[in-house]
Amino acid sequence: MGPDVPLLNDYKQEFFWKRFPQTVLGGPRFKLGYCAPTYAYVNQIILFLIPWVFGGVGTVLYQLNTLEDYWAAILAACLMLLAAFIIQGLSLWVRRKSVAVETFTSENTLADEDEFDFSSCAGSETIKFIIPGKKYLINTVFHSILAGALCGLGTWYLLPNRLMILYVNTGATAVLFVFGWVTVCIGEYSLIINTAVETATFQPQDTYEVNALTRPLYIFAFIAVDLTYRFTVIPVLLQTAQILHVIFVFLPILWAIGILPPVDALVLWVLEQVLEFVFGGSPMATNIRLFVMFTVSAGVVIATFFIPSTLGVVLFTTGMGFILSLDLSQLETSFRFCCSTADGSLQYPKYSSHRIGWQLGWKEILIYISIFILMLTEAGLLHWFARNSTTSGISPQTILSYILIVTLVGWKICQEIQGAFILFGLFRNPFFPKGIRTVQVFKQKRTILMRVALIQRILLNYISPFAMLAFLSVDSSLQYIHTASLCIGFTRAFRMVWQYTENALLEVVVIAIVRLATLQSTLVWWNSLGTGIQLLMVGIIRDRFFQAVTKLKFALTVLVSSWTEKKQRRKSSSAIIILNIILFPVVLMIIALASALSAPLLPLFTLPVFLVGFPRPNKSWPGSVGDAACICPDSVYYQHMRHNLAAAFCTAFSAGSLGNPTPGCHYLCRFQDRLVWVFILERGFGYCCINIKGLELQETSCHTAEARRVDEVFEMSFEQNNQARTCSLNHHFSNILTPSTVLPVLVYSDARNVLTGIIDSLENLKHLKEDYAKVFIWVLLQYIKNKSKSEHVQDNQPLQQNTTWLEENIVTSMRTGSCKGRKNSFSINSEIFPDWSDEDIFELESIGKKTGIHPIKNTTGIQQMTTNPIITSIPGSLETQSLSSDINDEELPNRTPMYGLPATDKGKHRLMETSTQEMVPAVVFSSPYSHKLKVPENWRSGPFPSLLLQELLKSFPEDWYSFVLNLLDIFHSDEKKSIIFEVIGDTTLKDMYSHVVMSCYGIMLGTDSIIPSPNQVFKVYSGDLPWSLGLDWLTQKPELLALALKAFRYTFKLMFDKACLGPVENFAELVSYLEEYDKNWFIGMVSEPQWQQAVLQEKPYLFSLGYDPSLSLYTGRVLSLQEMLLHVGQLNAEAIRGQWANLSWELLYATNDDEERYSIQAHPVLLRNLTVQSANPPLGYPIYSSPSIHVSLF
């Protein structure tokens, strides 16, 4: 898209020009976009002027001295209350009537969505058009009462006599009276008739109809100040009332341009500002914590006022300041974890979502208690000695001032050299490592910086707090603590020492420098404020000053880049730039006003047309962080890396390489195709709370353009060679991204390969077909081995519970005729004793003739595995030869009946002699140990005819089968080698495995000798098996199907490795490959849920086969879990707030949701597209957003 893409399309422009007049007037709809009868407009004008009429009645009666001012206000309020109830009752009656009686009218499909069919002046459609009504009955009553109160107080506020007293000017009184009533009428209409859509919109949906209260709330605030002036004797309120009466008439303009925040945003913003600058706290990660912390902090200030002793005040404020600066939510979480743990220990799980680094355990609690006791001791002793000291000379505060100045300078130098750039990002740090490409190189080169970081931590976390406590404890203004201002000031000061140590150190040093500079003179006004209020004022000035600097840099970046970036140069760019130069003082005033209000600087449509956005809380968005994200399969990569990334940020914060982690800071992390957005929510002593967002991996053209610029900025900063200039200029200084540092993080490295020449090679495909049987044998034996171990039962289990095998696995066959020439024999199968221990089972020595396994047809036509018949003497019993020398014939009746075979009556033609009855078990092994490796019964049947199966069995790798059996560790006996040799020689077991393996082989790769095609390989790999004779047989066995598919994927990975690394030399090397796959690899498809589970379980390697239909290419993807370098840069916080403010206005008010709109196009300097993505849904679309994560700063 070109730079001259319309800011708003034609439809949105028409919509905007219909909505904006409605916003200005508070709700009346005079521009509809279609023809409406005259009475629709007249009715709205009448309803708009009703409050003025009622207020005019009271005003006239007051001016005629008929009523007192308060009775005139009460009269207007009662009239307005009655009118409000009538209006809302009429709307409610019409809505219920329309629901009760449905009229089916023909609809005009070509009409606009908001077009109404007016029938009469007071028709139902007219009433619904003018008075939409309230959703909740309680709001109907509450808003009506407020409307009456607003009209009455507005009448009192705008009485002409009162205005004459304030201004002593008839012209001013007339102007203020007329336009003041316009303001009141706008507020009344928005409250009781139809709520206008505000340009200052915070919530995407007004669920509880709070927006209707916004305009009346500001009117009430202005009236409250005037009433306070009337009933009190405070001289300063006179000037305040005069100024506010003038501003009052401009309220409609302020509402229209969106400077005044809605009620919900206003409440949160006020609480944050008071908590931070009055109570010394921090913005909170959640709204609930904000309300709780505000209440507790206010209680501390109130309690301080009532403490009689100054020593008690010092100890109380010092202790509470330290306690409130801690992350108290850890105590609750720790307590819950202790209660859920059997031993009550504070051992957190590996992936605790709220604790990284410094975890709150018994050791940490003891450290906190030690610091608490030490600081109380220091503050109490110093204050006591300072109060009782009578020595003259250099005051202790003067000595402490020099110590604090030196500490600040030393700490700032140590912190500044930790980052990649110094002096506000203008010059590259000469001490920062160069040519960083690997983790090992970076760790070697940053050794000196880590030593300096240790000094920085000592200065910041240990020396600075206690030095500031000493400075405050010996302050002389503590003697006057029982004034409200001093209580607030010192409560904030003692808390700031721990809450924001860096900011507190700067503020205290500023106070100290001012005092040192004025030792020979006295600043009466300044000194009368007291140290606490001085620190409060310096804190506000510091915050607003740095906001103004960053806002000015953002404004210049938008202005300059609108011309220097050719793709951003519009036809109107030159005119806008000239206007900004001419009106530069106005632009500076806008920046100053936005900074004073701590409001975002809003660039309209991200053009250099600047407005003041409405003040909003630090998070910029309603709701809790991490509640919503556009989840997709790629989200799992960000979910996995959040813990490791948070741990890396813990190290960087403690070293100082990311600057001061204050709430509102934004960081951008780049690694391969991943972009991570980190936002600081909360800050306290030794911790901060962050939110991690992951941006989309399927890059669009705009995303790619900005990501490419991000890569250029990071490469120039971190990967330049050692021959580069020592202290070079930052060529991307104008960019909102300033590179900070490089972090080693354990993440998945993503490698993608084109498999041309591998998957289409006939030789490789031939090896694939040859290796599949081998790999499947190994996979199947590993599965059976693990299953056998899991099913092993304790030795003491009663033998009476072991008879179920006969019922499940014995096929009884009764035949007639003589069995001459066949010796009566019996073989004890070890499967008869599945729950015995190894020692009990294998002490039995089986003798007799072993019979081989071969397929026969049963009555249902399903191929079964059976053996030659074994003749027994008595139906339902076992006849054996000597099982052991310790077993006598007399003991057999007591030992063998429970293992007897069931008798089957075949009718009167059956011979009843015992010699003619035959019992045929399904499987009889030649080794009593083979039962541990038997395959499930339902797998033993085969899908193929006997001749075809015999042809497949010729390809069964017997030598590989024997080799793999030799490596199994399932047998735990002293004669392990002889046992394995006996199992290998068991032809029954071998035939069982050969039938299963080769049946699956024929289904997966075909029963012929044709080499599979790449397309067939891809389909089988992805689970799309070709149709064959045995497909239904395999799909009915989910476990066997999963094993067959797993073996095929292992085989494909083996083919890939052999093509890349060379052929496999011997069986031992092949086993090492397969063991590596089974232990450290997940081999599957990206689209499978198991892929995401493997990522979260931190499988070291993942492999997937893919196909690109647009290029007709087969691709391979390998994820490797390893420590990689993550590039981190700090973003201009005001640039982000400004673009988010424009996004909120553009989508929520102008409804400009066009996917190709100008404000979402790529901007390599402002990173506009990435900033829009990182916004909270529904306006933004990050694919992952974490909950609040606690990160330690130690």
Side-chain angles (χ1 to χ4, degrees):
M1 300 294 289
D4 286 306
V5 60
L7 302 177
L8 286 172
N9 58 39
D10 295 338
Y11 173 75
K12 294 299 182 182
Q13 288 182 24
E14 181 183 359
F15 175 81
F16 175 79
W17 289 117
K18 287 192 298 183
R19 170 172 279 189
F20 188 68
Q22 181 184 356
T23 301
V24 173
L25 296 175
R29 288 183 277 184
F30 294 138
K31 186 176 178 60
L32 302 179
Y34 57 91
C35 185
T38 305
Y39 57 76
Y41 303 103
V42 174
N43 288 347
Q44 293 183 82
I45 294 174
I46 293 174
L47 291 175
F48 182 82
L49 295 177
I50 279 180
W52 200 345
V53 172
F54 294 155
V57 172
T59 302
V60 170
L61 293 176
Y62 170 73
Q63 293 297 120
L64 296 176
N65 295 323
T66 305
L67 294 176
E68 295 292 337
D69 53 357
Y70 53 88
W71 284 114
I74 292 173
L75 175 63
C78 292
L79 292 174
M80 189 63 214
L81 178 63
L82 179 62
F85 276 121
I86 293 174
I87 291 171
Q88 288 299 315
L90 183 62
S91 173
L92 183 61
W93 175 74
V94 169
R95 281 185 292 155
R96 288 185 177 179
K97 179 181 177 182
S98 62
V99 172
V101 180
E102 286 287 346
T103 59
F104 297 93
T105 59
S106 60
E107 296 183 358
N108 182 5
T109 58
L110 299 179
D112 291 340
E113 293 179 353
D114 56 352
E115 186 170 339
F116 288 80
D117 294 328
F118 299 99
S119 58
S120 64
C121 179
S124 60
E125 288 295 326
T126 305
I127 295 176
K128 286 193 292 184
F129 167 73
I130 297 175
I131 315 170
K134 306 295 181 181
K135 291 188 293 185
Y136 305 104
L137 183 61
I138 187 173
N139 284 340
T140 301
V141 177
F142 178 61
H143 292 181
S144 298
I145 295 173
L146 282 183
L150 182 62
C151 185
L153 293 175
T155 302
W156 203 355
Y157 186 68
L158 296 173
L159 289 174
N161 286 353
R162 287 296 307 170
L163 297 177
M164 282 295 296
I165 294 174
L166 287 175
Y167 297 100
V168 197
N169 187 293
T170 305
T173 299
V175 171
L176 292 176
F177 179 79
V178 173
F179 288 100
W181 268 108
V182 171
T183 301
V184 174
C185 290
I186 289 174
E188 290 279 11
Y189 198 98
S190 179
L191 178 63
I192 202 63
I193 308 297
N194 184 21
T195 303
V197 179
E198 301 287 353
T199 52
T201 303
F202 188 58
Q203 297 278 358
Q205 294 181 341
D206 186 20
T207 306
Y208 301 105
E209 299 174 314
V210 178
N211 288 344
L213 304 175
T214 299
R215 301 193 182 197
L217 176 67
Y218 287 103
I219 296 176
F220 279 126
F222 279 73
I223 295 174
V225 176
D226 184 72
L227 292 178
T228 304
Y229 166 67
R230 294 189 186 191
F231 295 104
T232 58
V233 186
I234 303 177
V236 71
L237 289 180
L238 174 61
Q239 291 79 14
T240 305
Q242 292 174 341
I243 295 172
L244 291 181
H245 271 81
V246 175
I247 298 176
F248 187 80
V249 301
F250 290 99
L251 279 179
I253 299 176
L254 298 179
W255 288 326
I257 62 179
I259 293 180
L260 301 179
V263 176
D264 46 359
L266 177 65
V267 171
L268 295 176
W269 175 77
V270 169
L271 291 180
E272 278 192 357
Q273 295 296 306
V274 174
L275 178 61
E276 183 174 0
F277 296 105
V278 179
F279 299 149
S282 163
M284 295 286 112
T286 63
N287 295 337
I288 295 178
R289 293 179 64 176
L290 176 63
F291 283 105
V292 172
M293 185 58 70
F294 179 86
T295 305
V296 174
S297 301
V300 171
V301 173
I302 295 172
T304 302
F305 183 79
F306 293 100
I307 297 177
S309 169
T310 58
L311 179 60
V313 167
V314 171
L315 295 177
F316 180 74
T317 53
T318 302
M320 292 305 300
F322 176 76
I323 292 173
L324 294 180
S325 67
L326 301 176
D327 186 7
L328 300 180
S329 63
Q330 280 194 300
L331 295 175
E332 176 189 1
T333 310
S334 302
F335 177 76
R336 290 181 179 179
F337 186 80
C338 287
C339 294
S340 62
T341 308
D343 56 357
S345 61
L346 288 180
Q347 298 297 325
Y348 297 104
K350 179 180 180 181
Y351 296 115
S352 175
S353 59
H354 299 283
R355 287 158 211 86
I356 302 294
W358 181 272
Q359 301 173 356
L360 185 61
W362 300 121
K363 181 177 67 175
E364 289 75 19
I365 291 176
L366 291 177
I367 293 176
Y368 284 145
I369 293 175
S370 301
I371 295 176
F372 184 78
I373 295 174
L374 184 61
M375 70 178 183
L376 289 181
T377 304
E378 179 198 16
L381 291 177
L382 287 177
H383 179 73
W384 187 82
F385 282 117
R387 186 178 59 180
N388 298 312
S389 176
T390 57
T391 59
S392 60
I394 300 178
S395 65
Q397 266 197 336
T398 304
I399 300 174
L400 291 170
S401 298
Y402 287 110
I403 295 175
L404 288 170
I405 293 172
V406 173
T407 303
L408 175 64
V409 173
W411 164 75
K412 193 61 182 176
I413 292 174
C414 293
Q415 186 203 46
E416 194 76 7
I417 64 175
Q418 294 296 320
F421 288 90
I422 58 177
L423 298 179
F424 305 101
L426 189 58
F427 298 99
R428 195 183 191 283
N429 180 11
F431 301 100
F432 197 81
K434 301 176 182 178
I436 304 171
R437 296 185 182 274
T438 63
V439 176
Q440 292 75 16
V441 172
F442 175 70
K443 289 183 176 180
Q444 292 174 0
K445 291 186 176 182
R446 71 167 183 173
T447 305
I448 298 178
L449 290 181
M450 295 305 294
R451 296 174 182 171
V452 177
L454 179 61
I455 300 175
Q456 183 263 151
R457 288 199 298 271
I458 294 174
L459 290 174
L460 180 65
N461 297 327
Y462 301 103
I463 296 179
S464 297
F466 289 100
M468 286 187 286
L469 280 179
F471 181 89
L472 295 173
S473 300
V474 299
D475 191 80
S476 59
S477 57
L478 282 171
Q479 304 300 326
Y480 311 99
I481 195 66
H482 289 92
T483 62
S485 59
L486 288 176
C487 285
I488 293 173
F490 274 100
T491 302
R492 175 190 179 275
F494 280 108
R495 182 172 178 179
M496 281 285 292
V497 168
W498 305 103
Q499 191 86 44
Y500 290 107
T501 306
E502 303 94 331
N503 295 340
L505 181 60
L506 177 60
E507 295 170 11
V508 172
V509 167
V510 170
I511 299 295
I513 291 176
V514 171
R515 291 186 178 179
L516 292 176
T518 59
L519 285 176
Q520 305 302 324
S521 60
T522 56
L523 299 175
V524 179
W525 173 81
W526 176 254
N527 293 333
S528 64
L529 295 176
T531 304
I533 299 300
Q534 292 173 4
L535 289 172
L536 188 150
M537 294 179 61
V538 171
I540 295 176
I541 294 172
R542 170 197 54 77
D543 179 77
R544 292 336 191 228
F545 172 76
F546 285 114
Q547 278 196 40
V549 171
T550 52
K551 282 182 171 69
L552 180 61
K553 182 182 177 182
F554 169 52
L556 292 176
T557 300
V558 175
L559 183 65
V560 174
S561 63
S562 66
W563 184 261
T564 57
E565 295 289 328
K566 293 183 179 180
K567 292 185 177 181
Q568 308 301 324
R569 194 180 300 171
R570 299 173 60 89
K571 294 178 181 179
S572 59
S573 295
S574 57
I576 295 176
I577 292 173
I578 293 173
L579 284 176
N580 274 274
I581 294 174
I582 295 174
L583 302 175
F584 189 68
V586 178
V587 175
L588 288 180
M589 290 179 60
I590 292 174
I591 294 174
L593 179 60
S595 301
L597 295 175
S598 189
L601 182 66
L602 191 153
L604 196 62
F605 297 105
T606 65
L607 293 172
V609 178
F610 301 105
L611 300 174
V612 179
F614 67 88
R616 62 200 75 195
N618 176 64
K619 295 182 296 183
S620 294
W621 307 109
S624 302
V625 296
D627 284 348
C630 302
I631 302 298
C632 69
D634 291 332
S635 303
V636 68
Y637 305 117
Y638 294 111
Q639 184 180 358
H640 162 262
M641 71 182 300
R642 66 172 181 172
H643 305 284
N644 300 327
L645 179 62
F649 263 77
C650 170
T651 304
F653 282 144
S654 62
S657 55
L658 293 178
N660 298 335
T662 57
C665 289
H666 297 261
Y667 298 92
L668 185 65
C669 309
R670 178 66 169 170
F671 167 69
Q672 291 184 349
D673 60 346
R674 270 158 272 182
L675 281 165
V676 185
W677 197 284
V678 180
F679 177 52
I680 298 183
L681 301 166
E682 181 183 335
R683 166 71 194 278
F685 177 62
Y687 83 96
C688 68
C689 293
I690 65 173
N691 167 238
I692 297 176
K693 294 179 182 176
L695 306 188
E696 63 181 357
L697 301 184
Q698 301 295 331
E699 299 179 350
T700 60
S701 58
C702 296
H703 181 105
T704 303
E706 294 185 358
R708 190 182 304 116
R709 178 62 64 89
V710 171
D711 290 335
E712 291 176 5
V713 172
F714 282 136
E715 287 173 5
M716 183 174 292
S717 304
F718 300 126
E719 298 182 6
Q720 60 181 352
N721 54 33
N722 294 325
Q723 284 73 32
R725 294 177 58 185
T726 304
C727 192
S728 60
L729 189 68
N730 182 7
H731 298 289
H732 296 281
F733 178 73
S734 61
N735 199 296
I736 68 169
L737 176 66
T738 302
S740 297
T741 189
V742 177
L743 299 179
V745 183
L746 188 66
V747 293
Y748 276 105
S749 175
D750 196 349
R752 303 169 190 257
N753 306 294
V754 176
L755 300 183
T756 303
I758 296 178
I759 196 173
D760 53 359
S761 170
L762 293 178
E763 184 178 356
N764 291 338
L765 294 174
K766 182 180 178 181
H767 288 314
L768 173 74
K769 191 165 186 177
E770 293 174 353
D771 292 337
Y772 176 71
K774 297 179 182 178
V775 175
F776 191 27
I777 290 172
W778 187 87
V779 170
L780 186 58
L781 281 171
Q782 294 297 318
Y783 170 78
I784 297 298
K785 179 191 74 172
N786 296 331
K787 184 178 180 181
S788 177
K789 287 184 177 180
S790 64
E791 292 178 352
H792 188 69
V793 187
Q794 296 180 357
D795 299 341
N796 297 331
Q797 191 165 359
L799 295 178
Q800 286 79 0
Q801 300 177 7
N802 300 331
T803 60
T804 57
W805 180 84
L806 295 176
E807 301 173 4
E808 297 174 357
N809 296 292
I810 298 299
V811 176
T812 304
S813 174
M814 307 295 287
R815 295 186 180 182
T816 60
S818 63
C819 296
K820 296 179 181 179
R822 183 176 301 274
K823 181 179 180 181
N824 293 344
S825 62
F826 177 73
S827 171
I828 294 184
N829 192 330
S830 60
E831 288 186 38
I832 297 176
F833 314 97
D835 294 329
W836 284 24
S837 66
D838 293 346
E839 293 77 11
D840 292 335
I841 295 174
F842 301 130
E843 284 178 358
L844 297 176
E845 182 180 356
S846 62
I847 59 175
K849 184 176 179 180
K850 278 69 175 182
T851 57
I853 185 169
H854 65 274
I856 63 171
K857 291 287 185 176
N858 63 4
T859 56
T860 60
I862 300 176
Q863 188 180 18
Q864 297 287 346
M865 306 298 252
T866 185
T867 60
N868 290 332
I870 300 177
I871 301 174
T872 58
S873 58
I874 301 174
S877 65
L878 295 178
E879 179 178 345
T880 69
Q881 296 183 9
S882 177
L883 298 176
S884 174
S885 58
D886 298 331
I887 301 179
N888 301 323
D889 294 340
E890 297 176 355
E891 297 175 345
L892 283 176
N894 298 327
R895 297 175 61 94
T896 60
M898 65 184 67
Y899 306 110
L901 298 177
T904 304
D905 185 4
K906 291 297 183 179
K908 61 182 180 180
H909 299 290
R910 180 77 57 192
L911 296 177
M912 301 307 295
E913 290 83 5
T914 58
S915 61
T916 63
Q917 297 179 356
E918 301 173 346
M919 302 297 180
V920 185
V923 176
V924 177
F925 297 111
S926 63
S927 170
Y929 305 96
S930 298
H931 80 282
K932 284 179 172 275
L933 298 176
K934 66 182 177 67
V935 299
E937 178 189 8
N938 61 335
W939 296 4
R940 301 172 191 171
S941 62
F944 298 119
S946 300
L947 294 178
L948 184 57
L949 182 61
Q950 292 298 328
E951 190 67 25
L952 289 173
L953 291 176
K954 295 179 181 178
S955 302
F956 182 75
E958 296 186 8
D959 51 349
W960 168 255
Y961 166 79
S962 302
F963 182 81
V964 175
L965 277 180
N966 221 355
L967 299 177
L968 293 181
D969 58 349
I970 191 172
F971 304 108
H972 305 286
S973 176
D974 296 336
E975 301 179 357
K976 181 178 179 180
K977 292 184 178 180
S978 61
I979 294 174
I980 292 177
F981 180 78
E982 187 176 345
V983 172
I984 292 175
D986 193 335
T987 57
T988 302
L989 185 65
K990 184 193 71 174
D991 291 344
M992 181 185 296
Y993 274 88
S994 64
H995 279 68
V996 175
V997 170
M998 299 316 295
S999 296
C1000 294
Y1001 174 91
I1003 297 171
M1004 304 289 282
L1005 293 172
T1007 56
D1008 48 28
S1009 59
I1010 299 177
I1011 297 176
S1013 65
N1015 184 45
Q1016 180 184 351
V1017 171
F1018 174 74
K1019 285 186 174 182
V1020 175
Y1021 184 96
S1022 59
D1024 184 12
L1025 303 183
W1027 184 90
S1028 64
L1029 183 62
L1031 181 60
D1032 293 339
W1033 174 84
L1034 183 59
T1035 54
Q1036 292 172 1
K1037 302 166 178 58
E1039 291 187 3
L1040 183 59
L1041 176 60
L1043 292 174
L1045 184 59
K1046 177 182 178 181
F1048 186 86
R1049 291 174 174 179
Y1050 280 17
T1051 308
F1052 182 86
K1053 182 63 173 63
L1054 179 64
M1055 181 197 75
F1056 177 81
D1057 289 344
K1058 288 165 66 176
C1060 297
L1061 305 176
V1064 176
E1065 300 295 338
N1066 49 48
F1067 285 169
E1069 186 177 355
L1070 178 57
V1071 169
S1072 66
Y1073 270 106
L1074 297 178
E1075 289 178 346
E1076 174 71 13
Y1077 297 159
D1078 205 51
K1079 180 181 179 182
N1080 296 325
W1081 285 81
F1082 173 81
I1083 302 174
M1085 298 293 291
V1086 176
S1087 58
E1088 295 174 342
Q1090 292 82 358
W1091 178 277
Q1092 299 184 14
Q1093 294 174 8
V1095 171
L1096 296 179
Q1097 293 170 1
E1098 291 196 341
K1099 272 284 186 181
Y1101 304 98
L1102 292 90
F1103 177 83
S1104 174
L1105 177 64
Y1107 179 70
D1108 187 351
S1110 61
L1111 301 176
S1112 299
L1113 293 176
Y1114 295 95
T1115 58
R1117 184 179 183 185
V1118 178
L1119 296 183
S1120 305
L1121 184 63
Q1122 54 186 317
E1123 196 172 34
M1124 302 292 291
L1125 292 178
L1126 195 76
H1127 295 162
V1128 183
Q1130 187 169 0
L1131 295 162
N1132 185 324
E1134 294 303 324
I1136 305 304
R1137 292 183 69 200
Q1139 293 183 74
W1140 280 356
N1142 172 74
L1143 176 67
S1144 177
W1145 176 87
E1146 196 172 347
L1147 267 66
L1148 297 181
Y1149 182 77
T1151 65
N1152 187 23
D1153 55 354
D1154 187 357
E1155 294 182 355
E1156 299 298 332
R1157 64 185 184 273
Y1158 172 77
S1159 61
I1160 204 175
Q1161 300 298 313
H1163 196 305
V1165 177
L1166 293 179
L1167 304 181
R1168 189 165 52 195
N1169 186 267
L1170 298 180
T1171 304
V1172 170
Q1173 287 185 51
S1174 64
N1176 281 16
L1179 305 185
Y1181 46 97
I1183 65 174
Y1184 176 74
S1185 181
S1186 74
S1188 175
I1189 301 177
H1190 175 97
V1191 176
S1192 171
L1193 301 182
F1194 289 147

